[in-house]
Amino acid sequence: MEEKRLQERLRRAVVLIVAAGLLLLAAGEGVAAFLARSMVEVTKDQMRAETDEYKNRLEKQMSSDYQILTTMSGFLEFSNVDEAENFDEILNEANLRNDFVSMAYFPLNGSGVVAVLGQPVRSDVELAEMQPEVQEVVAQAWQGEMALSDLVQSELTQEKIFIYAIPVSRNGDTVGALIASDQVEIFSDILSGDTVLSGNGHIHLLNSKGELLIHSQNSVVEESVASIYEEPYFSGQKAEEIRTALAAGESVYSSFHCEGRSYQALLEPVGIKDWYMLCVSRVQEASGLYRIVTVIAVTFAALLLLMVILLVYGYRLTRRNDRELRDLAFHDALTGGDNLRGFTLKLQEALSQRQDVNLAALDVRQFKFINEIFGRERADKLLRHIHQQLQARLEEGEFCCRDSADLFYAVLLNTDPEQAAARLRNIMDEACAAALQDANSDYHVLLYAGMVAAPQCAASGKVDDVLTHAMFALERAKGASCNSVWTYDTELHKKEEVANFVESHMHQALQNGEFRMYLQPKIDLTSGRLGGAEALVRWTTGTGRMLYPDQFIPLFEQNGFSVSLDLYMVECACKQLRAWLDQGIQPVPLSVNQSKLLFFEADYIQNLERLIERYQIPASWITLEILEGLALENAGELNSRISQLQAIGFRISMDDFGSGYSSLNTLNSLQIDELKLDRGFLMEAADKNDPRSRIIMEQVVRMAKQLGISVVVEGVETRENEALIQSLGCDFGQGYYYSRPITVEEFTARYWGEPKEAPHGPAL
């Protein structure tokens, strides 16, 4: 038996070694192929560099020819020599002094002059007498363009030539065309160098149709062919691919065979007309360099095979311990099921393939006390029991795991979240029913669970996000006293995230000046003019995100940070009033909300006095807005504090009257200067189907006026709202009908235009 097992192990080892050897051999071949490709790339780069060099030479020659013609054109432009009687002699002399085969001048209106080397000068030549290629370039020059012909057979010299043409201008108008021709040999000399690819290549000039314009003397193909689509160059499918590329003006790298040998070919556009350069490399693919690469690859493979032999022992040890490593990596030693790592792999696969995945996180209530009461062994047995119950009640495609301590995860498949939650409750009830029964105890085990429903799982698709959401829901479920399931709520989670951000950043935000003062105007209902403004806070975070008061003010009132923020807003108001004064603007009073916590601070009044003294402004320009709820606890103490503030000069306003426990007795008991009626009060009074509310509002306004209290109405949104509060005798209106809360800069520009720049006041 042991021998069979040993033989089996040896057989496996041999198979593994053979497979590794084949793999390494393939790797060696891959390296060889890589080296061969690298050599091809190097050759291609060299060919491209050589082509660029010869393109530059060709461009320099043509530029030189054009420069000569341009110089003569300039001479003609300013000298009027073309009108001289001996112009034909001048043109002939110019032709003799250059390398051109011929030169000619054709005025826009009239006959031309043609000078050809070795031939008498011809005068009074009609353009129509010249061959079509000459007529074409002259016509282009008459249009003000510099022209160049294709390779043509000259009727005058019976040689292959290129024809240049440039316009001759006078006073900004084209008056003629100056042309010259060069023999094709001048370009052949440029392309027939012996140094192309260190003597291992040559270059031809052709057009986009594949027609060879200049055939290099140092050529692989001895025969003079008219086109690269003739043997032995390119044919068949390769020829069609090259034809398409040349027509599109693209570079092409290819190869062809000639007399049993392979050659590389690079076709590069010249940038002149539709000309291409064909660079051919005579370095053969089957040369000694490639054989060297093959030898290197074989040697490399042999060395790697030797290394495999040395690795066999290590492989056998790895094979022996592989199962143990897998168990450690993906399984939970306590329950025998998956651990979190194994679970997340399955979860990721399920999320990517299904739309009905519900993820649940389960925890045992007060598990630490179970450990203390029953001991570690009993607690571990409980965990194994819960895992077994979960596993037994899962359906096909579902799975679960224990993460750590008493935390479990399970995946349930159902597109209906309510059905999935109901099923999870049943599983929890059954799992807890038999728990700890053998401990002779009446201890009742409870579970709570957080579930991420299928729609949220499908929308997220990320394991980490879904697990985080499940833990968030689990935390929300802890408050119940029975087996409870809390389903993840996206909106609630967003609110929790905002609350966490607010509490963790509020102090730094105050230091960084992220809380900004916005102003909403109060309009005098008698004059229709600006009568004041309410200071409202907005939080613009360092990333540019805007937070509104309802996202952070309630939390600040709970944690006490409203004390610092409210005092900061008073200072912002004082600073702005000072800035207006420094700009030569007559300020309007500003109202600032004050929380209960701040209003009864021991040093509250002293802090306000320091602020108005620091910014040198009258206290009467600041209205402190308080809520009616302050009077419910101790009206006497509140009135005492109000009297102290009024003695300094501050005005006191009761905000949101009519929104809660408002009573007319409040107007009598508090010595306030201003009453702000809540928007809801106005909406009810504006309802024509509810005349009682209007009567009540009318009486409140009348009583306030009799007590000498000014009345401000919030939430004015329409002209009808304004007309109503005017008819009731209110003093000021505030709301979107007049303006939304706006920045201080917008407020200043709107009501006072663009003021001059104010000097810098005290820093906040």
Coordinates of all heavy atoms in Angstrom, one line a residue, residues 300-380:
F300 N 19.0 28.8 -22.7 CA 18.2 29.3 -21.6 C 17.2 28.3 -21.1 O 17.0 28.1 -19.9 CB 17.4 30.6 -22.1 CG 16.4 31.1 -21.1 CD1 16.8 31.8 -20.0 CD2 15.0 30.9 -21.3 CE1 15.8 32.3 -19.1 CE2 14.1 31.3 -20.5 CZ 14.5 32.1 -19.3
A301 N 16.6 27.6 -22.0 CA 15.6 26.5 -21.7 C 16.3 25.4 -20.9 O 15.8 24.8 -19.9 CB 14.9 26.0 -22.9
A302 N 17.5 25.0 -21.3 CA 18.3 24.0 -20.7 C 18.6 24.3 -19.2 O 18.5 23.5 -18.3 CB 19.5 23.6 -21.5
L303 N 19.0 25.6 -19.1 CA 19.3 26.0 -17.7 C 18.1 26.0 -16.8 O 18.2 25.7 -15.6 CB 19.9 27.4 -17.8 CG 21.4 27.5 -18.4 CD1 21.8 29.0 -18.5 CD2 22.4 26.8 -17.5
L304 N 17.0 26.4 -17.4 CA 15.8 26.4 -16.6 C 15.3 25.0 -16.2 O 14.8 24.8 -15.1 CB 14.6 27.1 -17.4 CG 14.8 28.6 -17.5 CD1 13.6 29.2 -18.3 CD2 14.8 29.3 -16.2
L305 N 15.5 24.1 -17.1 CA 15.2 22.7 -16.8 C 16.1 22.1 -15.7 O 15.6 21.4 -14.8 CB 15.4 21.8 -18.1 CG 14.3 21.9 -19.1 CD1 14.7 21.1 -20.4 CD2 13.0 21.5 -18.6
L306 N 17.3 22.6 -15.6 CA 18.2 22.2 -14.5 C 17.7 22.7 -13.2 O 17.7 22.1 -12.2 CB 19.6 22.6 -14.8 CG 20.4 21.9 -15.9 CD1 21.7 22.5 -16.1 CD2 20.6 20.4 -15.5
M307 N 17.2 23.9 -13.3 CA 16.6 24.6 -12.1 C 15.4 23.8 -11.6 O 15.1 23.8 -10.4 CB 16.3 26.0 -12.4 CG 17.5 26.9 -12.6 SD 17.1 28.6 -13.0 CE 16.3 29.1 -11.5
V308 N 14.6 23.3 -12.5 CA 13.4 22.5 -12.1 C 13.8 21.4 -11.2 O 13.1 21.0 -10.2 CB 12.6 22.1 -13.4 CG1 11.5 21.1 -13.0 CG2 12.0 23.3 -14.1
I309 N 14.8 20.7 -11.6 CA 15.3 19.5 -10.8 C 15.6 20.0 -9.3 O 15.2 19.2 -8.4 CB 16.5 18.9 -11.4 CG1 16.2 18.4 -12.8 CG2 17.1 17.8 -10.5 CD1 17.4 17.8 -13.6
L310 N 16.1 21.1 -9.2 CA 16.5 21.6 -7.8 C 15.2 22.0 -7.1 O 15.2 22.0 -5.8 CB 17.4 22.8 -7.9 CG 18.8 22.5 -8.6 CD1 19.6 23.8 -8.7 CD2 19.6 21.5 -7.7
L311 N 14.1 22.3 -7.8 CA 12.9 22.8 -7.2 C 11.9 21.7 -6.9 O 10.9 21.9 -6.3 CB 12.2 23.8 -8.1 CG 12.9 25.1 -8.3 CD1 12.2 26.0 -9.4 CD2 13.0 25.9 -7.0
V312 N 12.2 20.4 -7.3 CA 11.3 19.3 -7.1 C 11.0 19.1 -5.6 O 9.9 18.9 -5.2 CB 11.9 18.0 -7.8 CG1 11.0 16.8 -7.3 CG2 11.8 18.2 -9.3
Y313 N 12.1 19.1 -4.8 CA 11.9 18.8 -3.4 C 11.0 19.9 -2.8 O 10.1 19.5 -2.0 CB 13.3 18.8 -2.7 CG 13.2 18.6 -1.2 CD1 12.8 17.3 -0.7 CD2 13.4 19.6 -0.3 CE1 12.7 17.1 0.6 CE2 13.3 19.4 1.1 CZ 13.0 18.1 1.5 OH 12.8 17.9 2.9
G314 N 11.2 21.1 -3.1 CA 10.4 22.2 -2.6 C 8.9 22.0 -3.0 O 8.0 22.3 -2.2
Y315 N 8.8 21.6 -4.3 CA 7.4 21.4 -4.7 C 6.7 20.3 -3.9 O 5.5 20.5 -3.6 CB 7.4 21.0 -6.2 CG 6.2 20.3 -6.7 CD1 5.0 21.1 -6.9 CD2 6.1 18.9 -6.8 CE1 3.8 20.4 -7.3 CE2 5.0 18.3 -7.2 CZ 3.8 19.0 -7.4 OH 2.7 18.4 -7.8
R316 N 7.4 19.2 -3.7 CA 6.8 18.1 -2.9 C 6.3 18.5 -1.6 O 5.3 18.2 -1.1 CB 7.7 16.9 -2.9 CG 8.0 16.3 -4.2 CD 9.0 15.1 -4.1 NE 8.4 14.0 -3.4 CZ 9.1 12.9 -3.1 NH1 10.3 12.7 -3.6 NH2 8.5 11.9 -2.4
L317 N 7.2 19.4 -0.9 CA 6.8 19.9 0.4 C 5.6 20.8 0.3 O 4.7 20.7 1.1 CB 8.0 20.6 1.0 CG 9.2 19.8 1.5 CD1 10.3 20.7 2.0 CD2 8.7 18.8 2.5
T318 N 5.6 21.6 -0.7 CA 4.4 22.5 -0.9 C 3.1 21.8 -1.2 O 2.1 22.1 -0.6 CB 4.7 23.5 -2.1 OG1 5.9 24.2 -1.9 CG2 3.6 24.5 -2.3
R319 N 3.3 20.7 -2.0 CA 2.1 19.9 -2.3 C 1.5 19.2 -1.0 O 0.3 19.1 -0.8 CB 2.5 18.8 -3.3 CG 1.4 17.9 -3.8 CD 0.5 18.6 -4.7 NE -0.6 17.7 -5.2 CZ -1.6 18.1 -6.0 NH1 -1.6 19.3 -6.3 NH2 -2.5 17.2 -6.4
R320 N 2.5 18.8 -0.2 CA 2.1 18.1 1.1 C 1.3 19.0 2.0 O 0.4 18.6 2.7 CB 3.3 17.6 1.8 CG 3.0 16.7 3.0 CD 4.3 16.3 3.6 NE 5.1 15.5 2.7 CZ 6.4 15.2 2.9 NH1 7.0 15.5 4.0 NH2 7.0 14.5 2.0
N321 N 1.7 20.3 2.0 CA 1.1 21.2 3.0 C 0.0 22.1 2.3 O -0.6 23.0 3.0 CB 2.1 22.1 3.6 CG 3.2 21.3 4.4 OD1 2.8 20.4 5.1 ND2 4.4 21.7 4.2
D322 N -0.3 21.9 1.1 CA -1.2 22.8 0.4 C -2.6 22.8 1.0 O -3.2 23.8 1.2 CB -1.3 22.3 -1.1 CG -2.3 23.2 -1.9 OD1 -2.0 24.4 -2.0 OD2 -3.3 22.7 -2.3
R323 N -3.1 21.6 1.4 CA -4.5 21.5 1.9 C -4.6 22.2 3.3 O -5.5 22.9 3.5 CB -4.9 20.0 2.1 CG -6.4 19.9 2.5 CD -6.7 18.4 2.5 NE -6.5 17.8 1.2 CZ -7.4 17.9 0.2 NH1 -8.5 18.6 0.4 NH2 -7.2 17.3 -0.9
E324 N -3.5 22.1 4.1 CA -3.5 22.8 5.3 C -3.5 24.3 5.1 O -4.2 25.0 5.9 CB -2.3 22.4 6.2 CG -2.3 20.9 6.6 CD -1.1 20.5 7.4 OE1 -0.3 21.5 7.7 OE2 -0.9 19.3 7.6
L325 N -2.7 24.8 4.2 CA -2.7 26.2 3.9 C -4.1 26.7 3.4 O -4.5 27.8 3.8 CB -1.6 26.5 2.8 CG -0.2 26.3 3.2 CD1 0.8 26.5 2.1 CD2 0.2 27.2 4.4
R326 N -4.7 25.9 2.6 CA -6.1 26.3 2.1 C -7.0 26.4 3.3 O -7.9 27.3 3.3 CB -6.6 25.3 1.1 CG -6.0 25.5 -0.3 CD -6.6 24.6 -1.3 NE -6.1 24.9 -2.7 CZ -6.8 25.8 -3.4 NH1 -7.8 26.4 -3.0 NH2 -6.3 26.1 -4.7
D327 N -6.9 25.4 4.2 CA -7.8 25.4 5.3 C -7.6 26.7 6.2 O -8.6 27.3 6.7 CB -7.6 24.2 6.2 CG -8.2 22.9 5.5 OD1 -9.0 23.1 4.6 OD2 -7.8 21.8 5.9
L328 N -6.3 27.0 6.4 CA -6.0 28.2 7.1 C -6.5 29.5 6.4 O -6.9 30.4 7.1 CB -4.5 28.3 7.4 CG -3.9 27.2 8.4 CD1 -2.4 27.3 8.4 CD2 -4.5 27.4 9.8
A329 N -6.4 29.5 5.1 CA -6.7 30.7 4.4 C -8.2 30.9 4.2 O -8.7 32.1 4.3 CB -6.1 30.7 3.0
F330 N -9.0 29.9 4.1 CA -10.4 30.1 3.7 C -11.5 29.4 4.6 O -12.7 29.5 4.4 CB -10.7 29.5 2.3 CG -9.8 30.2 1.2 CD1 -8.8 29.5 0.6 CD2 -10.1 31.5 0.9 CE1 -8.0 30.1 -0.4 CE2 -9.3 32.1 -0.1 CZ -8.3 31.4 -0.7
H331 N -11.0 28.7 5.7 CA -12.0 28.0 6.5 C -11.8 28.5 8.0 O -10.7 28.9 8.4 CB -11.8 26.5 6.4 CG -12.2 26.0 5.1 ND1 -11.4 26.0 4.0 CD2 -13.4 25.4 4.7 CE1 -12.0 25.4 3.0 NE2 -13.3 25.1 3.4
D332 N -12.9 28.4 8.7 CA -13.0 28.8 10.1 C -12.7 27.5 10.9 O -13.5 26.5 10.8 CB -14.3 29.4 10.4 CG -14.5 29.7 11.9 OD1 -13.5 30.0 12.5 OD2 -15.6 29.7 12.4
A333 N -11.7 27.6 11.8 CA -11.3 26.4 12.6 C -12.4 26.0 13.6 O -12.5 24.8 13.9 CB -10.0 26.6 13.3
L334 N -13.1 27.0 14.1 CA -14.1 26.7 15.1 C -15.3 26.0 14.5 O -15.8 25.0 15.1 CB -14.5 28.0 15.8 CG -15.6 27.8 16.9 CD1 -15.1 27.0 18.1 CD2 -16.1 29.2 17.4
T335 N -15.9 26.5 13.5 CA -17.1 25.9 12.9 C -16.9 24.9 11.8 O -17.8 24.2 11.5 CB -18.0 27.1 12.4 OG1 -17.4 27.7 11.3 CG2 -18.3 28.1 13.5
G336 N -15.7 24.9 11.2 CA -15.5 24.1 10.1 C -16.0 24.6 8.7 O -15.9 24.0 7.7
G337 N -16.7 25.8 8.8 CA -17.2 26.4 7.5 C -16.2 27.4 7.0 O -15.1 27.5 7.4
D338 N -16.8 28.2 6.1 CA -15.9 29.3 5.5 C -15.6 30.4 6.6 O -16.4 30.6 7.5 CB -16.7 30.0 4.4 CG -16.8 29.1 3.2 OD1 -16.0 28.2 3.0 OD2 -17.8 29.3 2.4
N339 N -14.4 31.0 6.4 CA -14.2 32.2 7.2 C -14.5 33.4 6.3 O -15.0 33.2 5.2 CB -12.7 32.2 7.6 CG -11.7 32.2 6.5 OD1 -12.1 32.4 5.3 ND2 -10.4 32.0 6.8
L340 N -14.2 34.6 6.7 CA -14.6 35.8 6.0 C -14.0 35.8 4.6 O -14.6 36.2 3.6 CB -14.3 37.0 6.8 CG -14.8 38.4 6.1 CD1 -16.3 38.4 5.9 CD2 -14.3 39.6 7.0
R341 N -12.7 35.4 4.5 CA -12.0 35.5 3.2 C -12.7 34.6 2.2 O -12.9 35.0 1.1 CB -10.5 35.1 3.4 CG -9.8 35.1 2.1 CD -8.3 34.8 2.3 NE -7.7 35.8 3.1 CZ -6.4 35.8 3.5 NH1 -5.6 34.8 3.1 NH2 -5.9 36.8 4.2
G342 N -13.0 33.3 2.6 CA -13.7 32.4 1.7 C -15.1 32.9 1.3 O -15.5 32.8 0.2
F343 N -15.7 33.5 2.3 CA -17.1 34.0 2.1 C -17.1 35.2 1.1 O -17.9 35.2 0.2 CB -17.7 34.5 3.5 CG -19.0 35.0 3.4 CD1 -20.2 34.2 3.3 CD2 -19.2 36.4 3.3 CE1 -21.4 34.8 3.3 CE2 -20.5 37.0 3.2 CZ -21.6 36.1 3.2
T344 N -16.1 36.1 1.3 CA -16.1 37.3 0.4 C -15.8 36.9 -1.1 O -16.3 37.5 -2.0 CB -15.1 38.3 0.8 OG1 -13.8 37.6 1.0 CG2 -15.5 38.9 2.2
L345 N -15.0 35.8 -1.3 CA -14.8 35.3 -2.7 C -16.1 34.9 -3.3 O -16.4 35.2 -4.4 CB -13.8 34.2 -2.7 CG -12.3 34.6 -2.3 CD1 -11.4 33.4 -2.3 CD2 -11.8 35.6 -3.3
K346 N -16.9 34.1 -2.5 CA -18.2 33.6 -3.0 C -19.1 34.8 -3.2 O -19.9 34.8 -4.2 CB -18.8 32.6 -2.1 CG -18.0 31.3 -1.9 CD -18.7 30.3 -1.0 CE -17.9 29.0 -0.8 NZ -18.5 28.1 0.1
L347 N -19.1 35.7 -2.3 CA -20.0 36.9 -2.4 C -19.7 37.7 -3.6 O -20.6 38.2 -4.3 CB -19.9 37.7 -1.1 CG -20.7 39.0 -1.0 CD1 -22.2 38.7 -1.2 CD2 -20.4 39.8 0.2
Q348 N -18.4 37.9 -3.9 CA -18.1 38.7 -5.1 C -18.6 38.0 -6.3 O -19.1 38.7 -7.2 CB -16.6 38.9 -5.1 CG -16.1 39.8 -6.3 CD -16.6 41.2 -6.2 OE1 -16.3 41.9 -5.3 NE2 -17.5 41.5 -7.1
E349 N -18.5 36.7 -6.4 CA -18.9 36.0 -7.6 C -20.5 36.1 -7.7 O -21.0 36.3 -8.8 CB -18.5 34.5 -7.5 CG -18.9 33.7 -8.7 CD -18.5 32.2 -8.5 OE1 -17.8 31.9 -7.5 OE2 -18.7 31.5 -9.5
A350 N -21.1 36.0 -6.5 CA -22.6 36.1 -6.6 C -23.1 37.5 -7.0 O -24.0 37.6 -7.8 CB -23.2 35.7 -5.2
L351 N -22.4 38.5 -6.5 CA -22.8 39.9 -6.8 C -22.6 40.1 -8.3 O -23.4 40.9 -8.9 CB -22.0 40.9 -6.0 CG -22.3 40.9 -4.5 CD1 -21.4 41.9 -3.8 CD2 -23.8 41.4 -4.3
S352 N -21.6 39.5 -8.9 CA -21.3 39.8 -10.3 C -22.3 39.0 -11.2 O -22.4 39.3 -12.4 CB -19.9 39.4 -10.6 OG -19.6 38.1 -10.4
Q353 N -22.9 38.0 -10.7 CA -23.7 37.1 -11.6 C -25.2 37.1 -11.3 O -26.0 36.7 -12.1 CB -23.2 35.6 -11.4 CG -21.8 35.4 -11.9 CD -21.3 34.0 -11.7 OE1 -22.1 33.2 -11.2 NE2 -20.1 33.7 -12.1
R354 N -25.6 37.6 -10.1 CA -27.0 37.6 -9.7 C -27.6 38.9 -9.3 O -26.8 39.8 -8.9 CB -27.2 36.5 -8.6 CG -26.6 35.2 -8.9 CD -27.0 34.2 -7.7 NE -28.4 34.0 -7.6 CZ -29.0 32.8 -7.9 NH1 -28.3 31.8 -8.3 NH2 -30.3 32.7 -7.7
Q355 N -28.9 39.1 -9.4 CA -29.6 40.3 -9.0 C -30.5 40.0 -7.7 O -31.2 41.0 -7.3 CB -30.4 40.8 -10.1 CG -29.7 41.2 -11.4 CD -28.8 42.4 -11.1 OE1 -29.2 43.4 -10.6 NE2 -27.5 42.2 -11.6
D356 N -30.4 38.8 -7.1 CA -31.3 38.5 -6.0 C -30.5 38.2 -4.8 O -31.0 37.5 -3.9 CB -32.2 37.3 -6.4 CG -31.4 36.1 -6.8 OD1 -30.1 36.2 -7.0 OD2 -32.0 35.0 -6.9
V357 N -29.4 38.8 -4.6 CA -28.5 38.5 -3.4 C -28.9 39.5 -2.3 O -28.9 40.7 -2.4 CB -27.0 38.7 -3.8 CG1 -26.2 38.6 -2.5 CG2 -26.6 37.7 -4.8
N358 N -29.3 38.9 -1.1 CA -29.5 39.6 0.1 C -28.5 39.2 1.1 O -28.3 38.0 1.4 CB -30.9 39.3 0.7 CG -32.0 39.6 -0.2 OD1 -32.6 40.7 -0.2 ND2 -32.4 38.7 -1.1
L359 N -27.7 40.2 1.6 CA -26.7 39.9 2.6 C -27.1 40.3 4.0 O -27.6 41.4 4.2 CB -25.4 40.7 2.2 CG -24.3 40.6 3.2 CD1 -23.7 39.2 3.2 CD2 -23.1 41.6 2.9
A360 N -26.9 39.3 4.9 CA -27.3 39.5 6.3 C -26.1 39.4 7.2 O -25.3 38.5 7.0 CB -28.4 38.5 6.7
A361 N -26.0 40.3 8.2 CA -25.0 40.2 9.2 C -25.7 39.9 10.5 O -26.6 40.6 10.9 CB -24.2 41.5 9.3
L362 N -25.3 38.8 11.3 CA -26.0 38.4 12.5 C -25.0 38.5 13.7 O -23.8 38.1 13.5 CB -26.6 37.0 12.4 CG -27.6 36.7 11.3 CD1 -26.9 36.3 10.0 CD2 -28.6 35.7 11.7
D363 N -25.5 38.8 14.8 CA -24.7 38.9 16.0 C -25.5 38.4 17.2 O -26.8 38.5 17.2 CB -24.3 40.4 16.3 CG -23.0 40.4 17.0 OD1 -22.5 39.4 17.4 OD2 -22.4 41.6 17.0
V364 N -24.8 37.8 18.2 CA -25.5 37.3 19.4 C -25.5 38.4 20.4 O -24.5 39.0 20.7 CB -24.7 36.1 20.0 CG1 -25.4 35.6 21.2 CG2 -24.6 35.0 18.9
R365 N -26.7 38.6 21.0 CA -26.9 39.7 21.9 C -26.2 39.3 23.2 O -26.3 38.2 23.8 CB -28.4 39.9 22.2 CG -28.7 41.2 23.1 CD -30.2 41.3 23.3 NE -30.8 41.5 22.0 CZ -30.9 42.6 21.3 NH1 -30.4 43.7 21.8 NH2 -31.6 42.7 20.2
Q366 N -25.4 40.3 23.7 CA -24.7 40.1 25.0 C -23.8 38.9 25.0 O -23.8 38.1 26.0 CB -25.7 40.1 26.2 CG -26.5 41.4 26.3 CD -25.8 42.6 26.6 OE1 -24.6 42.6 27.1 NE2 -26.4 43.8 26.3
F367 N -23.1 38.6 24.0 CA -22.3 37.4 23.9 C -21.2 37.4 24.9 O -20.8 36.3 25.4 CB -21.7 37.2 22.5 CG -20.9 36.0 22.3 CD1 -21.5 34.7 22.2 CD2 -19.5 36.0 22.2 CE1 -20.8 33.6 22.1 CE2 -18.8 34.8 22.1 CZ -19.4 33.6 22.0
K368 N -20.7 38.5 25.3 CA -19.6 38.5 26.3 C -20.0 38.0 27.6 O -19.3 37.4 28.4 CB -19.0 39.9 26.4 CG -20.0 41.0 26.9 CD -19.3 42.4 27.0 CE -20.3 43.4 27.5 NZ -19.6 44.7 27.6
F369 N -21.3 38.2 28.0 CA -21.8 37.7 29.2 C -22.1 36.2 29.2 O -21.9 35.5 30.2 CB -23.1 38.4 29.6 CG -23.0 39.9 29.9 CD1 -23.5 40.9 29.1 CD2 -22.2 40.3 31.0 CE1 -23.3 42.2 29.4 CE2 -22.0 41.6 31.3 CZ -22.6 42.6 30.5
I370 N -22.4 35.7 28.0 CA -22.5 34.2 27.8 C -21.2 33.6 28.1 O -21.0 32.5 28.7 CB -23.0 33.9 26.4 CG1 -24.4 34.4 26.2 CG2 -22.9 32.4 26.1 CD1 -25.0 34.2 24.8
N371 N -20.1 34.2 27.6 CA -18.7 33.7 27.8 C -18.5 33.7 29.3 O -17.9 32.8 29.9 CB -17.7 34.6 27.1 CG -17.2 34.0 25.9 OD1 -16.9 32.8 25.8 ND2 -17.0 34.9 24.9
E372 N -18.9 34.8 30.0 CA -18.6 34.9 31.5 C -19.4 33.9 32.3 O -18.9 33.2 33.2 CB -18.9 36.3 32.0 CG -17.9 37.3 31.4 CD -18.2 38.7 31.9 OE1 -19.1 38.9 32.7 OE2 -17.6 39.7 31.4
I373 N -20.7 33.7 31.9 CA -21.6 32.9 32.7 C -21.4 31.4 32.4 O -21.3 30.6 33.4 CB -23.1 33.3 32.3 CG1 -23.4 34.7 32.7 CG2 -24.1 32.3 33.0 CD1 -24.7 35.2 32.3
F374 N -21.2 31.0 31.1 CA -21.2 29.6 30.8 C -19.8 29.1 30.5 O -19.5 27.9 30.3 CB -22.1 29.3 29.6 CG -23.5 29.6 29.9 CD1 -24.1 30.8 29.4 CD2 -24.3 28.7 30.6 CE1 -25.5 31.0 29.6 CE2 -25.6 29.0 30.9 CZ -26.2 30.2 30.4
G375 N -18.8 30.1 30.3 CA -17.5 29.7 30.0 C -17.2 29.6 28.5 O -18.1 29.6 27.7
R376 N -15.9 29.6 28.2 CA -15.5 29.6 26.8 C -16.0 28.4 26.0 O -16.4 28.5 24.9 CB -13.9 29.7 26.8 CG -13.3 29.6 25.4 CD -13.6 30.9 24.6 NE -12.9 30.9 23.3 CZ -11.7 31.3 23.1 NH1 -11.0 31.7 24.1 NH2 -11.2 31.3 21.9
E377 N -15.9 27.2 26.6 CA -16.3 26.0 25.9 C -17.8 26.0 25.5 O -18.1 25.7 24.4 CB -16.0 24.8 26.8 CG -16.3 23.4 26.1 CD -16.0 22.2 27.0 OE1 -15.4 22.4 28.1 OE2 -16.4 21.1 26.6
R378 N -18.7 26.4 26.5 CA -20.1 26.5 26.1 C -20.3 27.6 25.1 O -21.2 27.4 24.2 CB -20.9 26.8 27.4 CG -20.9 25.7 28.4 CD -21.7 24.6 28.0 NE -21.8 23.6 29.0 CZ -22.4 22.4 28.9 NH1 -22.9 22.1 27.7 NH2 -22.5 21.6 29.9
A379 N -19.6 28.7 25.2 CA -19.8 29.8 24.2 C -19.4 29.3 22.8 O -20.1 29.6 21.8 CB -19.0 31.0 24.6
D380 N -18.3 28.6 22.7 CA -17.9 28.1 21.4 C -18.9 27.1 20.9 O -19.2 27.0 19.7 CB -16.5 27.4 21.5 CG -15.4 28.5 21.7 OD1 -15.7 29.7 21.5 OD2 -14.3 28.0 22.0

